[in-house]
Amino acid sequence: MNPTEIFPWQRSIWPRIRQPDSVQRHHALLLRGRRGIGKLGFAFALAQSLLCAQTDTAGVACEKCQDCYWFEQGLHPNFRLLEPEALSAQEGVADKGGEENREDAGGAKSGKKLSQQISVAQIRALDDFIYLSAHQARYKVVLIHPAEAMNTAAANALLKKLEEPPPEVLFILVTHNAALIPATILSRCQQIAMPAPGYEAAKDWLVSQGIADADFRLAMSGFSPLQALQYDEQLAASHADFIQSLCAPEKFDPIELAEKLHKLDLPGVTGWLQKWCYDLLSCRAGGQVRYHLRQAAAVRQQAAVIDPVAFGFLWRSLVTSQQLARHPLNAKLFLEEMFLNYMDLICPANSAHL
Ligand SMILES: [Zn+2]
């Protein structure tokens, strides 16, 4: 099933992209923006609208015709989805918006290590699809998600296709981080900055989905509405435990925490510490608590005694850690080191005893 959805905060951008001449003028669109704002759902909606036999006046797919039925079942002959093996394996799990389930996939649950990259073989396998005639001589759409997962060989192979674009084929690239995509590819795409919802719009949408504690979930998921929607209860419990440890620096135990958390999604855990450090630095600079609203008193208390320069360095090192977290050599050691670095700053007396 393809998780098609045009979210409320995307409605203003739809007419601009869906205009027939906008699609015809470009052979490749790049939808860029931060995680969890529904880029993938929008990309699916756009693909479906190009394949639908009877769109409405706004160009939105009818969801009734044979083409829509095929598309929604993931079976349309004029559509190809390219994503890393690790994400495809989760396809059956993909839910509304799809983006978050797909992002967190890694094959870890099945115990088998699946590729996180889009390979050159996947790009080459498109040849027959894009160069042979289309089913019913209509549009063909290739959706690549996330585009930054293409390795160098794959990106080069795609570039050749973008340099000599076949007629009536639209490539839709979706990316959370356009900086990781080669400039040669970016220059051949029409780049669309995907709108993110403001706080109230995200909250309204979550409430409309039946979420009661929308404020809390939004704060805990970095204000990404899709991540907030799929906020996992069990993960939430681990996160709450972790925050509790952060609130009591005298009991903060890096080794024990690494043992508890190393089987979770490491970029996610790194993000937890990043958000906490963000709040400490923000308060220290006289700003607001952004993420830990329920622990605001503890954040302010600790912020008053931190060394802002040293924390600035830690903050930068966490940005690097976030990138390394996807491929750590040893998950437990990775977390131990990160937590020890944090403890050095927050509670130097404790770390001296270790
Ligand atoms: Zn239709």
Side-chain angles (χ1 to χ4, degrees), residues 48 51-55 61-69:
Q48 184 173 358
L51 301 169
C52 170
Q54 45 199 33
T55 55
C62 73
E63 298 183 11
K64 292 179 194 131
C65 70
Q66 182 69 44
D67 287 285
C68 281
Y69 174 77

Side-chain angles (χ1 to χ4, degrees), residues 232-243:
D232 180 271
E233 296 295 333
Q234 218 175 345
L235 198 62
S238 298
H239 191 182
D241 271 0
F242 181 65
I243 292 174

Side-chain angles (χ1 to χ4, degrees), residues 163 198 207 292 297 334 341:
E163 281 169 345
V207 171
H292 301 85
F334 173 87
N341 287 340

